[in-house]
Amino acid sequence: MQDLTEGLAHFQQDVFPAKAELFARLATTHRPQTLFIGCSDARVVPELITQREPGELFVIRTAGNLVPAHEALAEDAGVAASIEYAVAVLGVGDIVVCGHSACGAMTALAARQDLAELPAVARWLRHAAPAAASRHEPATLIRGNVAAQLANLATHPAVAHALAAGTVTLHGWVYDIPTGTVERIAPATGRSAVLAA
């Protein structure tokens, strides 16, 4: 906890004063342009990877960057509520689903690990079932999972409406931790291309 309190003190003494004007504006304005759905993994920091300032990304982080399909709303309403708010209220124009290398969730699925001792994790990972249906090595599963989560995302009414109106664009990314590269994943096919190096 000491490192967190030291970081907080640094933020309050050095970082916040340098960005005081930005934070004053953010106190009354919340207009992010992008919804970024990424993994809970501590090694994947959306604002760092994209070099965005506070207020520029609306972020949802879930284990395995999973997005439950709309029909799973009763059990996973928190993720759905955040998606709906970002699209219908904030009016984001872009949604990124970002997977990453060495993802523990995808590694567990690829290895068909016994998750009996982790029942909540096992229930959550069922949202990756379309990608995990065929046995793949982890890197292929990570890419396929991003494409599957984009498909799940499109089942949400607010997203479907925005897609039909042409007011939102879906993007799939896979971030490679050791190199910093990002691959773009095609929503329907799961094919990839390097986006940035």
Side-chain angles (χ1 to χ4, degrees), residues 34-69:
T34 303
L35 167 58
F36 190 102
I37 302 171
C39 187
S40 302
D41 193 302
R43 300 168 295 176
V44 181
V45 183
E47 293 83 358
L48 181 62
I49 295 167
T50 62
Q51 289 295 285
R52 297 295 88 203
E53 290 284 348
E56 294 182 336
L57 296 179
F58 191 83
V59 179
I60 300 172
R61 295 180 71 158
T62 68
N65 49 272
L66 300 181
V67 178

Side-chain angles (χ1 to χ4, degrees), residues 37 65-72 83 95-98 127-131 142-161 163 169-173 185-190:
I37 302 171
N65 49 272
L66 300 181
V67 178
H70 182 257
E71 59 269 11
I83 292 167
I95 303 175
V96 174
V97 174
C98 184
H127 298 299
I142 289 164
R143 290 174 182 87
N145 181 57
V146 168
Q149 300 317 307
L150 288 168
N152 282 352
L153 186 59
T155 68
H156 290 255
V159 176
H161 177 71
L163 286 169
T169 304
L170 304 184
H171 309 272
W173 290 3
I185 305 299
T189 65

Side-chain angles (χ1 to χ4, degrees), residues 7-27:
L8 178 59
H10 172 64
F11 171 75
Q12 292 172 337
Q13 293 166 9
D14 302 317
V15 176
F16 185 86
K19 295 182 181 284
E21 189 176 307
L22 170 63
F23 287 110
R25 189 172 58 253
L26 292 175

